[in-house]
């Protein structure tokens, strides 16, 4: 299937001009909200910035609109910040600059998209498998055939979700 889902989503986000513009705008708005008291975004400013990003990206990027219906939680924001901050010693002490903020946003929304897509697979597969099992029982088809059809269905759902990520 090519790239892993994480890389597909990250590549889609980072190659999108809308993503870069939304990151730049959210970064500038967050600095302005703090009256430019700091040259970097502090950790407490990241959740409101993520809310701004979600609004902008939902309108511009179908991947976000489809798989991230609600803004990332504070827990998701904090986890993404910790991962970005651990990669950069400057970010851990002071805050995030523009480039680090884009890395943070890519990390945050990549994880949010993958979480939403994973939840969709978890919701869809059991429902479809139950339907296949019910039809198999009603039609009195052998267990081997029903099992193979269930496996094909589950693989099909997973493949459909995977291909929608790019």
């Amino acid at each position: 299937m090519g790239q892993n889902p994480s890389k597909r989503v990250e590549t889609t986000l980072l190659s999108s001009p809308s993503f870069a513009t939304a990151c730049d705008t959210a970064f500038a708005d967050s600095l302005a909200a703090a009256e430019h008291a700091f040259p970097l975004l502090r950790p407490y400013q990241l959740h409101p910035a993520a809310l701004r990003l979600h609004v902008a990206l939902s309108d511009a990027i179908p991947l976000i609109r489809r798989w991230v219906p609600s803004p990332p939680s504070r827990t998701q924001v904090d986890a993404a910040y910790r991962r970005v901050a651990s990669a950069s010693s400057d970010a851990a002490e002071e805050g995030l600059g523009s480039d680090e903020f884009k890395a943070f946003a890519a990390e945050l929304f990549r994880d949010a998209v993958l979480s939403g897509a994973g939840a969709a697979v978890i919701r869809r597969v059991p429902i479809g498998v139950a339907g296949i099992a019910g039809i198999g029982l009603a039609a009195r088809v052998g267990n081997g055939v029903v099992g193979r059809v269930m496996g094909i269905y589950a693989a099909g759902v997973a493949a459909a979700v995977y291909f929608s990520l790019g």
Side-chain angles (χ1 to χ4, degrees):
M1 281 195 209
Q3 294 179 329
N4 66 29
S6 179
K7 265 302 186 205
R8 282 179 69 104
V9 172
E10 189 171 345
T11 300
T12 300
L13 291 175
L14 292 175
S15 66
S16 169
S18 300
F19 181 78
T21 301
C23 287
D24 291 339
T25 302
F27 184 81
D29 289 349
S30 297
L31 288 180
E35 298 178 352
H36 297 277
F38 312 107
L40 305 171
L41 287 187
R42 302 293 183 162
Y44 68 86
Q45 294 173 293
L46 295 177
H47 188 256
L51 298 176
R52 286 186 196 99
L53 274 173
H54 182 265
V55 170
L57 296 175
S58 293
D59 293 338
I61 301 176
L63 189 65
I64 302 296
R65 185 175 32 255
R66 181 172 186 181
W67 299 116
V68 189
S70 59
S73 68
R74 190 170 298 276
T75 304
Q76 290 171 307
V77 170
D78 291 345
Y81 172 70
R82 281 191 301 275
R83 285 189 298 271
V84 170
S86 69
S88 170
S89 60
D90 295 337
E93 291 181 16
E94 299 176 24
L96 301 179
S98 180
D99 291 338
E100 293 163 326
F101 180 72
K102 283 180 187 166
F104 158 79
E107 179 87 17
L108 177 65
F109 283 97
R110 182 195 68 211
D111 288 348
V113 167
L114 293 175
S115 176
V121 170
I122 289 172
R123 272 192 317 272
R124 291 177 187 168
V125 168
I127 293 169
V129 166
I132 292 167
I135 291 170
L137 283 174
R140 296 187 178 151
V141 178
N143 288 342
V145 172
V146 172
R148 280 190 294 261
V149 171
M150 287 178 180
I152 291 168
Y153 172 77
V157 168
V161 168
Y162 172 80
F163 288 121
S164 74
L165 295 176

